[in-house]
Structure formats: structure tokens, C-alpha cells
Amino acid sequence: MVEGQIAIEEYKTGNTEHTWDLQKMFSAHKVLTKYSYKKGQVIKGYANRTLYVNLSTGQIAEKPVTEQMKKQFTGGRGFGLKLMWDSMKPTTRWDSPENELLITTGPLCGTTQYAGSGKSICLSVSPSTNILCDCNVGGFFGPYMKFAGFDAMEIQGKAKQDVVVVIDGEKGTVSIETAPLEEINTHLLSEQLTRMYASEDTDKSRQKVSVVSSGHAAENSYWGVLNFSFYDIRRKVPRIKQAGRGGLGTVLRDKKIKALVVKVERFDGVSNHPANPVALAKVGTKLHKEIRDLDRYQCNMRAVGTGHLVEIMDAYDLLPTENYRFGSFPKASKIYSPKFYELFTKIIPDGCWHGCTMACAKTVDGYTVMTGPYKGEKVTVDGPEYETIGACSNMSIWDPLWILEFNFYCDTYGVDTISAGTATAFYMEMYEYGILNKERCDGLELCFGNPDAALELLHRIAKGDEGEFIKVAAKGARRVKDWINRHGWGDKQLIEDAGMESKGLEFSEYVTKESLAMQGGYGLTLKGPQHDEAWLIFMDMVNNAIPTFQMKAEALHYFPMWRTWFGLNGLCKLPWNDVEPVDNAQTPEPSKVPEHVQNYVDFQNAMTGWNVTKEDLILQSERCYNWQRAMNVWLGRGQRKDDWIPFRAMGPVTEMEYVSRKERYDKSLVEKLGMPQKDVEKMITQEKIRILYEHRRNQYEKLTDAVYYRRGWTPNGIPTPQKMKQLGFSDKKMLKMLQDKIAADEKNGLNVWSGKYSKGEQSPSSEKHYWEKW
Amino acid sequence: MDHPTTVKILKFHAEKCNGCLECEKACSQVHFKTKDDGEKSAIRIIKTEKGYSMHVCDQRGLCLDMCPVGALTRRKNGVVWLDVNTCIGCQACVGFCPIGAMRKADVRIEPFKCISCGSCVRACPEKALELVEVKLPDVTQVVYHKLGA
């Protein structure tokens, strides 16, 4: 295909075209409830109301957004937390009818001038973890929902049969309609609904519709994603981005929602009615120019997306291969970004929201499906992103085409590539050891490097296969650990240490063995081991910029708070530090990207008319971060035992791993533990692993102590009522719950530090109940 | 579909220019119905040490591939055209124009650019401006060509 300057109507993907009787499908819809609302205007970033839908009762209502709510929770994920707190109980689990599925926006969401401003933030109680899970996702749904009139959408209850919930911003109606005939899998359903609900049969009209859907595998696994569509006027397909982690698509299907549809009447560059559109355009244009001039020399996002990371991670021994046993692999160059660049369609504005010039959302068009129900069809594959490639390298899959195959089916079946890949890699390792085998795996030969088996697992999950393994495998690594242990098939310690999950959620795709701070970045998190709170590997491991526990704790305070802020506002994190000003390295704190932090201060002020400082941004986050942790405590988790991570995240679990990086680990015993070189040389590997194990476990405990202290929590990781009051909260129910929990911990002896401190070392505070003085 | 093969672009005869800015005033009349020169004009005359230089779009069309909503198209006459009714004001074209010829005025969110209409040519008392026809392949440029590998 000729690259560049192709008239939009002349773009061709080569995809298989479908002919559906959309009229028949639409006629089969029965409107169960229809609600009319007064169309309004978004003012300074806020629609100033949220939408409540109850699928059990058919109730649809509006709730006002108060100034108090904006002050305490800012927006986006913060609003989601507030609405969930008001609606659920401490006994609510993922499949309880009162569990809610939230889609929220945030005051900066829908801005077109600043790259990365179209994110929706979804929340629910996760089937993987049974605590709150938040996902930040692109696509048009969030911005359109806000321009149609709502800052957030809150769905409670369960429908009796498959429904679609439609927000029609043209007519000012919200309806719950049965939808019996449409497909379930996203790549078909999303196109059907986009065409069905577009006001006219034009691409421009279709671009004003966005669909949230999932797929068949979401129904039968804990890995369900929410696929958010964004119609591409050049490719003429609705493309998708995923709210991937924690099984929110599983909640969607459990509620019998086939899809959510939003249609916007019109929108333009100032539909948010910013307080100062001129300042907004200036700061946005400045960033566009920076991306134009620097991206190709920095991350090359515009050409290859996040896949540029593969070669970097491989070079630094951080690319997870064979279930995180190794951080690099001889075959890895087969999946470096230039290999995908050859396959990607080029020179198209690939942002997942209008105006995002970072444009990391790459696709392969006209990809011929190799397996399963869609074998032979030509489709657009959205991705692969770094995490999907990493999920495949973890399964030792080194063929770009198989990675595309895995990517395509995970997407259309509504499954998280990260969880599916990380869990399957764990099953593969167990298979290698004989703990699992063909018989135990319902006939699947789940060895490393067998993409057929990995795909077959997905197909069988999607089909609702009743095999014992298939059913438990679909629930993820945590449930499989328990299942193997129940059967007594292997060494329990090995199984616990090798399966890369924490809180019940699978790890995302970075090897953290040599970075203690990053271990904390995965373990000391709200929702589970996802690097969206902090990515500190280079700062910690490569640059050794945060050597002490206190420094690491400061980083594990600042960065999670900073990154939470994107979710409160409806923003993407990438334009913050995946492009950096030329002189960034010369600033006092390059890892914070000070100039971009200032951009965000200017951005929020220009939108809302507030007068905030960079410290205020952190405070906005700290409120919501602590609130979410407190809600996890309320749900019976969110404490030290839940912040545990498996040893595979900290060091070598097996002899093979140790031997493969012997020099590094021996050096660690000598330099970090002060053991004489001679002694180390004489020791057997098992013994060396044991010593390293004890040492690194204790390091993690000490880090946990330091981080909890810095965050204002008890040694058991409970946010204190004193901290909550400092942050401006006076909710009596919340404060009492925390006080009671801390009192119960006191009885159980949990209000003490867990690190073992040797001479000359100090715990973060020697004072008992230090928080009571705050 | 018939594709244009040529386009008219502005040529500047610096030696004739007297810096009166009648061209800018004519241009802002076209785009904003005002007689202001300066930020509301797509053509800008810049005073240099030696005299004057012109700063304006050369219709290379790099911005065509930047527009997420298809507001930028190459018209039958070869001119790169911004449809303000389709534009969603993202400034991607403004930020990515390598010569800064896609302009934005404070009065509205949508940018604007030279459409080779000739108003400035007609307004110039010194005949320092001229529209000349050039072949499109000689001026077109695309974003990030072959830079991914």
C-alpha cells in the first residue's frame, strides 16, 4: 500500500466484509425501560451529573455531582469510588447483584488539544481479587458519555436476558433494550452496533458512536475485558482498546450486558467548555510539537507503539520469558519492534482519542486468522502492545504472527492478554515439571513455545468447555495453584513461588527480580500487580537513584499518587513520560518530568478555572488512593498479607534460574550479604537460593514497613483515621470502620513492623501507635 | 477518483515587497472577516535584516495524515483544505506542521491555513506575490516515512 496522503475514502484494509441484516437484529430489540433526560452542557470539564442504571429493577436515574464531590474526589476514578461506597456493602463480591460496574470520565477527559485526554476509568469488584479494580481505557465511550450529559455511569443489578444499554445523546434518552440476535464476540458485535446506532450510513456518523463490549471467554473466565470502541474512518472498522485487568468484562457478562452504546450528537474542540481555551490550546500544541520533534528519537511510539520496549527489556534482562524465569532470550530479536513495524499499517492518525498525537494504537490490517471459529477471515488486529508481546514471550512464543493470533482472539473473546498470558505461562512451567500433564490439562499439551495449545485453551474457554482443567485454568493462576495443591501434585512452595499472581491477579510483563522498588511497585498496590502505579526499575536497578528504604518509600509514595491523578482526570499516562523535553535530564528530578507536571497543572487550571499547584495534584490523588485502600480494608482485604508477592518476583526460584545468572546472584551474596567469596564458591546452589530467599523476603518486608509509614498507614497497611481526617474526610462510617479494624489488629498483634532489623538498622518508627499523634 | 496533479502555491518576490501588510489584511478578511493583520492571517510577512520574507503554507499536505476526523482533505485543485465544521480543534496539524504554516488564532479553536485563493496577490500594491502552479509530487510530504525500522 502506498504510504501517506491517501484520501480517506480510498483506504482499504483488505478485511473480510460482513453483510448482516441489521434491521432484523434491531427489530428484535424490546425496549425494557426508556428514560428521557434534559440535554445539558458540559461546563469547565464537568457534566455535573452521573447516570444510575439498575438492571434488576429497570430503574434509570440521574444523580447530581456536588461541589463537595469535586473537592474530595476530583472526578473519574474518584467519583467511581464515591459512588461505589454509597451503593455497596462490605460483603459485596464480584457477582453480587449490588456490585456495580462504573464507567467514569474526569474533568479533563474529552479534551482534544492535549495528547492522551480521552480515557475512561472503569471500576468494579473484581472476580480475580474480590476487591476494587480500576482500569484506565481509551476509545470514545467516556468522552462521548460526558458530552451526552454524564460524568459517570453506574450500573447495578443484573438483567434477566442479554441487554444493551443505550445512551442517545442526540435524543437525550437512555434505554435498556433486549438484544437477542447480535453476536457476543467483540470484533463482530461492536461493528454491528456501531452500524445499527449510527444516525446515518456514513463514516462520520459511525465515528459518533462508541460501544463497550466483551466476548464469550469473558463469560467463562475471570479474565474478561471491556472493549471500548473507537470508529476509524480510514479503516472503516470500530477499533478497540481494553479495560483489561481484573475481569471487568466478566462482571459485564455476569450482568447480562451484551454492550453499552453511546451516541454523541456533536462535539468540537471546546465541548468541555474550558475556563481558558486559549491556554489549553497553547499547552496542548506545545506537547504536539515536542512529540513531533522528539518521539522518533525517544520511544518511537508513533511508529511502533509500546512494542518499542521489547528490545529494551530484552537488553536489560527484564523481558519475561518462560514464566519470568528469565529476562531475555536468544530468540527475542524475532519479536523486536521492527518486526511488527513491517506488519503495521502506517501513516494513519492512530490515537485512541481524537488529537492524541502520541498515537501508540497500532494495528495490523487484513490479518488472516489461523485458528478457531474465524479461521480464514481477514481482520484488523488492534495491537500488539508491549504487554501482549510480553505475555507471549512469557509463553515462549516468538513468532509475530502467533502473537497477532493470540492478540486477536483475546480481544474478540473479551480476555485480558496479560492475565491469560501470565497464567498460561505458569501452567506451562508446571507442565514442564510434570506437575501438570496432558491428561491433567484435558488433553492440551501446554508446553512452553506451543502456541496451538495456548490458542486452543482460549477457544475452549470461549466455547464453555466443561473440562476440570479448562474451567479452573480460566479463573487464573491463583485458583490453579489451589487446585494443584488440593490434588497434591507438586511441591507446594514451588507452586506458590512460581505462579506470578498477587491478590489473585496475574502480574503484568516485567521481570522485577533485581529491583526491590519495583517489587513494591507491584505488591504494594491497590488492585494487584500492575505497573500502572509505579515503574521504578530503571530508577532503582539501572541508575541506582533510590538506594535506601526511605528513598524507595518516597518513590512508592510519590509515583503511585502521581499516576493515580491521570485516572481522576480521564487522562493517559504515556504523554507524561514517554516523551520528555530535550532538557529533562538536566532538571533536578528528571524521573518526575517537571515540565510536563507543570503542563498538567496548567491543563487542569485552564479547564476548571481552579488555581491549583503541583502539590495540589498529589493531594487530589492521595485522597482517592487512601479512600480506595480503605474500601479494600472494608471488603476484608487491603492489608499486609494481601500485599504479598511470590518469590519469582524477587529472585531465582529454581536452580536453573540461579545457574543461568550465577555471577549476578553470587555477587549479590558477597556484596549485599557480606559473605566471603570463598564460602560462596563452595556452597551448593540450593543453599545459596535459600539464603538469597531469606534475605530478599526480609528486604521486601522492610520496604513494606517503610512504604506504609510514608503513606500514613499502620504497620498492617491500614490507612489511619488520622490520615483520612488530614485529607479532609469526615465520613463517620469510614472513620469508624478503620478505627475498629486497627483495634482488631492490635488484639491480633498485627500493629508491629514485620522487617527483621539488624544492628545499626532502624524500623520506620520506634513509637507504638505513631499515627495517633498525627 | 480523479486526483489532482498540480497545485497553486504562493511565490514571493522579496525585492518588490514594501512591508505594507495589505496581504495579511486581505487574508484575515477571508478567514475571519476582519481587517486585522497578524495572527488572523494565514500569510505572514516577516521583516528580516535584508528586507522581508514570506511565511505561508506550501501545500505539502503532511497534515492530511494527522487529522483524526478527516477535516483536512486535498481538494480537486490540489489545495489542502480544512473544513472547520468537521474539525474538532485538536491542533495536531498545528503542532506537526514542520514550517508552522497551519495557524491558530485565539478567537476560535479551529485552526486555519492558506487556501491559495489569491486575495493577497490581488491586495498587494507592489505585485510582490504571485500564485504559481507546481507539480504535486514535487511538494508532497508524509509523516515519519520509513522511520520505524
Side-chain angles (χ1 to χ4, degrees):
Chain A
M1 188 161 104
V2 185
E3 289 163 10
Q5 297 211 10
I6 299 168
I8 285 168
E9 56 277 15
E10 290 173 31
Y11 269 89
K12 293 267 185 299
T13 55
N15 289 352
T16 304
E17 282 176 24
H18 300 281
T19 43
W20 294 300
D21 191 343
L22 295 176
Q23 195 52 48
K24 187 179 160 196
M25 281 179 196
F26 186 66
S27 309
H29 286 203
K30 197 175 126 200
V31 177
L32 300 176
T33 314
K34 192 162 209 160
Y35 174 83
S36 295
Y37 65 92
K38 194 163 167 275
K39 288 194 278 182
Q41 210 174 52
V42 177
I43 300 161
K44 295 177 187 175
Y46 289 98
N48 289 312
R49 62 184 160 180
T50 63
L51 177 65
Y52 174 81
V53 176
N54 191 314
L55 295 171
S56 299
T57 63
Q59 187 199 356
I60 300 177
E62 294 168 47
K63 293 183 183 177
V65 168
T66 62
E67 289 306 312
Q68 173 78 352
M69 207 168 144
K70 290 182 199 170
K71 199 178 152 207
Q72 290 193 323
F73 295 97
T74 309
R77 179 167 145 197
F79 282 5
L81 293 170
K82 152 83 177 143
L83 293 167
M84 287 188 86
W85 172 253
D86 290 344
S87 311
M88 55 186 268
K89 299 181 280 196
T91 50
T92 300
R93 294 297 172 257
W94 73 274
D95 54 354
S96 308
E98 77 272 13
N99 184 23
E100 294 199 323
L101 184 63
L102 262 297
I103 296 176
T104 71
T105 59
L108 309 186
C109 177
T111 302
T112 57
Q113 293 86 36
Y114 200 90
S117 301
K119 293 298 198 99
S120 311
I121 294 82
C122 313
L123 295 99
S124 192
V125 173
S126 151
S128 302
T129 63
N130 271 315
I131 50 174
L132 299 188
C133 183
D134 55 277
C135 294
N136 180 313
V137 56
F140 296 165
F141 195 92
Y144 286 180
M145 176 176 77
K146 183 156 80 168
F147 298 146
F150 304 100
D151 287 317
M153 175 184 198
E154 183 187 6
I155 307 169
Q156 203 169 31
K158 295 188 192 192
K160 291 187 186 67
Q161 51 193 313
D162 274 341
V163 295
V164 290
V165 180
V166 184
I167 303 173
D168 187 333
E170 261 175 32
K171 296 198 185 102
T173 59
V174 181
S175 57
I176 307 172
E177 306 171 8
T178 64
L181 301 182
E182 288 86 349
E183 297 279 345
I184 299 276
N185 290 337
T186 285
H187 84 288
L188 300 172
L189 172 62
S190 157
E191 188 168 342
Q192 288 172 343
L193 293 175
T194 301
R195 291 179 182 278
M196 191 182 294
Y197 284 97
S199 302
E200 292 165 29
D201 186 20
T202 63
D203 287 313
K204 276 187 184 164
S205 217
R206 287 189 274 276
Q207 203 180 23
K208 292 196 164 66
V209 176
S210 178
V211 176
V212 176
S213 59
S214 197
H216 275 301
E219 297 163 0
N220 307 319
S221 76
Y222 284 178
W223 297 332
V225 296
L226 301 174
N227 284 313
F228 277 56
S229 82
F230 55 111
Y231 190 82
D232 188 325
I233 52 171
R234 289 174 172 85
R235 296 178 174 92
K236 285 103 186 157
V237 288
R239 297 180 46 202
I240 43 169
K241 277 284 181 183
Q242 291 75 33
R245 305 309 325 268
L248 269 50
T250 303
V251 175
L252 183 92
R253 293 301 296 137
D254 183 61
K255 292 188 177 302
K256 288 246 177 350
I257 301 170
K258 216 171 209 179
L260 311 172
V261 182
V262 68
K263 180 159 71 174
V264 72
E265 184 173 24
R266 65 173 302 280
F267 76 100
D268 56 34
V270 285
S271 285
N272 267 318
H273 292 96
N276 186 347
V278 172
L280 196 52
K282 281 209 171 95
V283 70
T285 307
K286 183 178 80 153
L287 184 70
H288 287 321
K289 288 182 177 161
E290 221 171 280
I291 295 172
R292 174 193 73 189
D293 294 338
L294 303 171
D295 175 62
R296 66 186 75 181
Y297 308 112
Q298 294 182 3
C299 294
N300 210 17
M301 287 280 188
R302 290 181 50 77
V304 294
T306 54
H308 76 276
L309 285 166
V310 177
E311 43 267 37
I312 302 171
M313 294 306 132
D314 187 45
Y316 282 93
D317 209 23
L318 300 168
L319 178 72
T321 62
E322 296 196 346
N323 194 30
Y324 301 86
R325 288 195 297 200
F326 315 113
S328 60
F329 210 75
K331 290 183 185 173
S333 64
K334 290 173 187 284
I335 58 167
Y336 283 2
S337 64
K339 303 291 178 192
F340 289 102
Y341 182 73
E342 287 169 18
L343 301 165
F344 289 147
T345 305
K346 299 159 189 76
I347 323 285
I348 285 186
D350 275 327
C352 67
W353 169 242
H354 302 304
C356 182
T357 44
M358 183 140 266
C360 71
K362 300 297 148 198
T363 76
V364 177
D365 296 311
Y367 168 74
T368 309
V369 182
M370 300 189 285
T371 68
Y374 307 116
K375 188 175 174 176
E377 264 188 40
K378 285 180 185 294
V379 295
T380 286
V381 185
D382 275 283
E385 298 182 35
Y386 168 75
E387 295 294 327
T388 303
I389 305 174
C392 288
S393 67
N394 234 338
M395 296 185 281
S396 214
I397 294 171
W398 305 104
D399 180 342
L401 292 181
W402 276 110
I403 293 173
L404 289 175
E405 183 84 3
F406 179 76
N407 194 150
F408 167 72
Y409 270 114
C410 280
D411 287 356
T412 196
Y413 283 157
V415 156
D416 176 20
T417 56
I418 301 176
S419 282
T422 295
T424 305
F426 169 57
Y427 310 154
M428 287 174 165
E429 186 181 352
M430 294 299 107
Y431 199 99
E432 183 176 298
Y433 302 152
I435 292 170
L436 292 178
N437 55 38
K438 196 171 170 181
E439 194 194 335
R440 288 173 186 171
C441 291
D442 295 329
L444 292 179
E445 284 182 282
L446 272 177
C447 346
F448 282 122
N450 185 357
D452 285 290
L455 263 299
E456 185 57 23
L457 175 61
L458 287 181
H459 296 317
R460 284 167 72 172
I461 292 170
K463 272 190 276 188
D465 189 300
E466 288 290 314
E468 191 185 342
F469 172 74
I470 305 292
K471 280 172 77 177
V472 68
K475 294 193 167 94
R478 180 65 255 166
R479 273 72 180 184
V480 169
K481 283 180 181 181
D482 295 339
W483 179 69
I484 296 174
N485 286 334
R486 268 202 308 280
H487 282 285
W489 284 334
D491 174 8
K492 206 173 160 186
Q493 191 67 46
L494 169 69
I495 292 156
E496 286 297 338
D497 285 341
M500 286 290 277
E501 56 80 26
S502 168
K503 302 180 176 68
L505 184 71
E506 287 81 4
F507 272 66
S508 67
E509 311 301 338
Y510 295 98
V511 171
T512 57
K513 289 173 189 171
E514 301 312 311
S515 169
L516 177 61
M518 192 60 218
Q519 292 161 27
Y522 271 121
L524 311 175
T525 47
L526 294 172
K527 67 170 165 280
Q530 169 67 13
H531 58 280
D532 65 346
E533 288 197 13
W535 199 94
L536 304 171
I537 301 184
F538 275 14
M539 204 178 163
D540 189 32
M541 180 190 104
V542 181
N543 302 327
N544 198 26
I546 42 174
T548 67
F549 287 113
Q550 281 68 30
M551 290 166 103
K552 289 183 210 296
E554 184 56 37
L556 283 167
H557 172 72
Y558 178 82
F559 289 102
M561 298 312 146
W562 172 244
R563 286 167 172 248
T564 293
W565 190 81
F566 296 105
L568 307 182
N569 289 281
L571 300 182
C572 174
K573 163 262 159 196
L574 299 191
W576 159 56
N577 71 345
D578 282 291
V579 65
E580 292 176 350
V582 226
D583 59 354
N584 189 54
Q586 281 79 52
T587 60
E589 294 181 290
S591 58
K592 292 185 181 176
V593 199
E595 189 183 320
H596 285 182
V597 170
Q598 189 56 43
N599 283 358
Y600 288 110
V601 171
D602 297 344
F603 188 179
Q604 201 182 48
N605 284 335
M607 179 63 77
T608 59
W610 300 339
N611 187 20
V612 296
T613 62
K614 63 179 194 224
E615 288 79 18
D616 294 328
L617 306 190
I618 298 296
L619 182 60
Q620 290 168 8
S621 290
E622 216 182 344
R623 290 191 188 113
C624 297
Y625 194 93
N626 279 278
W627 189 271
Q628 187 167 341
R629 177 75 173 189
M631 281 186 73
N632 288 345
V633 172
W634 187 52
L635 289 165
R637 304 194 76 185
Q639 43 209 299
R640 189 180 275 259
K641 68 177 168 52
D642 302 301
D643 290 347
W644 170 95
I645 55 170
F647 192 68
R648 180 58 59 72
M650 300 180 182
V653 171
T654 60
E655 286 192 46
M656 177 168 62
E657 280 166 273
Y658 192 103
V659 172
S660 77
R661 308 286 188 273
K662 180 171 176 296
E663 205 177 314
R664 175 190 300 161
Y665 296 129
D666 280 357
K667 196 175 156 201
S668 182
L669 292 175
V670 174
E671 287 180 3
K672 297 274 165 63
L673 282 95
M675 294 173 65
Q677 177 83 37
K678 276 185 201 163
D679 294 2
V680 171
E681 276 164 21
K682 278 184 217 153
M683 285 163 72
I684 58 163
T685 307
Q686 275 297 353
E687 182 61 9
K688 289 195 280 193
I689 291 177
R690 193 191 60 76
I691 294 169
L692 209 55
Y693 195 105
E694 299 287 323
H695 172 68
R696 290 192 173 185
R697 275 252 169 255
N698 191 39
Q699 292 285 98
Y700 185 75
E701 293 297 343
K702 288 197 269 195
L703 176 72
T704 307
D705 289 347
V707 171
Y708 286 176
Y709 185 74
R710 175 61 187 89
R711 288 182 184 169
W713 299 350
T714 69
N716 196 31
I718 312 298
T720 61
Q722 290 81 357
K723 177 81 192 177
M724 297 302 273
K725 280 184 201 159
Q726 267 180 13
L727 293 172
F729 291 121
S730 55
D731 186 302
K732 281 183 187 149
K733 184 173 79 163
M734 172 70 82
L735 297 177
K736 182 170 185 313
M737 182 273 295
L738 293 170
Q739 193 59 59
D740 291 350
K741 170 65 182 158
I742 293 169
D745 282 353
E746 185 69 25
K747 271 189 197 158
N748 296 321
L750 295 172
N751 288 339
V752 291
W753 300 117
S754 288
K756 294 187 203 86
Y757 294 90
S758 48
K759 251 191 184 168
E761 287 182 333
Q762 278 180 341
S763 63
S765 170
S766 53
E767 243 176 281
K768 211 172 175 236
H769 303 164
Y770 51 85
W771 58 89
E772 285 173 359
K773 291 194 176 160
W774 288 344
Chain B
M1 188 176 162
D2 286 343
H3 293 282
T5 53
T6 58
V7 64
K8 283 184 178 154
I9 62 171
L10 280 170
K11 190 176 175 187
F12 183 53
H13 300 285
E15 70 285 358
K16 296 185 188 167
C17 179
N18 66 5
C20 68
L21 302 185
E22 285 303 318
C23 55
E24 293 194 10
K25 287 170 196 159
C27 186
S28 59
Q29 182 68 34
V30 170
H31 289 286
F32 293 94
K33 309 250 181 300
T34 67
K35 285 207 161 57
D36 311 343
D37 49 21
E39 72 147 28
K40 288 177 187 159
S41 169
I43 180 173
R44 300 298 296 273
I45 301 299
I46 299 152
K47 195 164 168 43
T48 64
E49 279 176 16
K50 290 178 188 167
Y52 296 95
S53 72
M54 176 189 70
H55 191 197
V56 75
C57 175
D58 57 12
Q59 313 297 340
R60 65 178 74 188
L62 181 144
C63 54
L64 292 167
D65 294 320
M66 295 304 303
C67 183
V69 290
L72 281 159
T73 50
R74 201 179 276 286
R75 301 199 119 190
K76 278 180 193 156
N77 63 0
V79 162
V80 175
W81 180 272
L82 177 77
D83 173 15
V84 286
N85 295 320
T86 306
C87 173
I88 44 93
C90 71
Q91 319 299 323
C93 52
V94 177
F96 270 67
C97 179
I99 57 168
M102 182 66 81
R103 301 194 190 283
K104 157 89 172 69
D106 286 350
V107 288
R108 70 159 196 240
I109 199 73
E110 297 85 5
F112 65 101
K113 70 180 289 298
C114 170
I115 50 171
S116 296
C117 67
S119 286
C120 54
V121 176
R122 290 189 292 276
C124 179
E126 306 297 330
K127 301 210 180 322
L129 288 163
E130 185 190 359
L131 273 173
V132 295
E133 193 156 27
V134 293
K135 286 180 185 153
L136 267 178
D138 294 342
V139 293
T140 54
Q141 189 191 7
V142 298
V143 196
Y144 271 35
H145 192 62
K146 295 286 183 203
L147 275 173

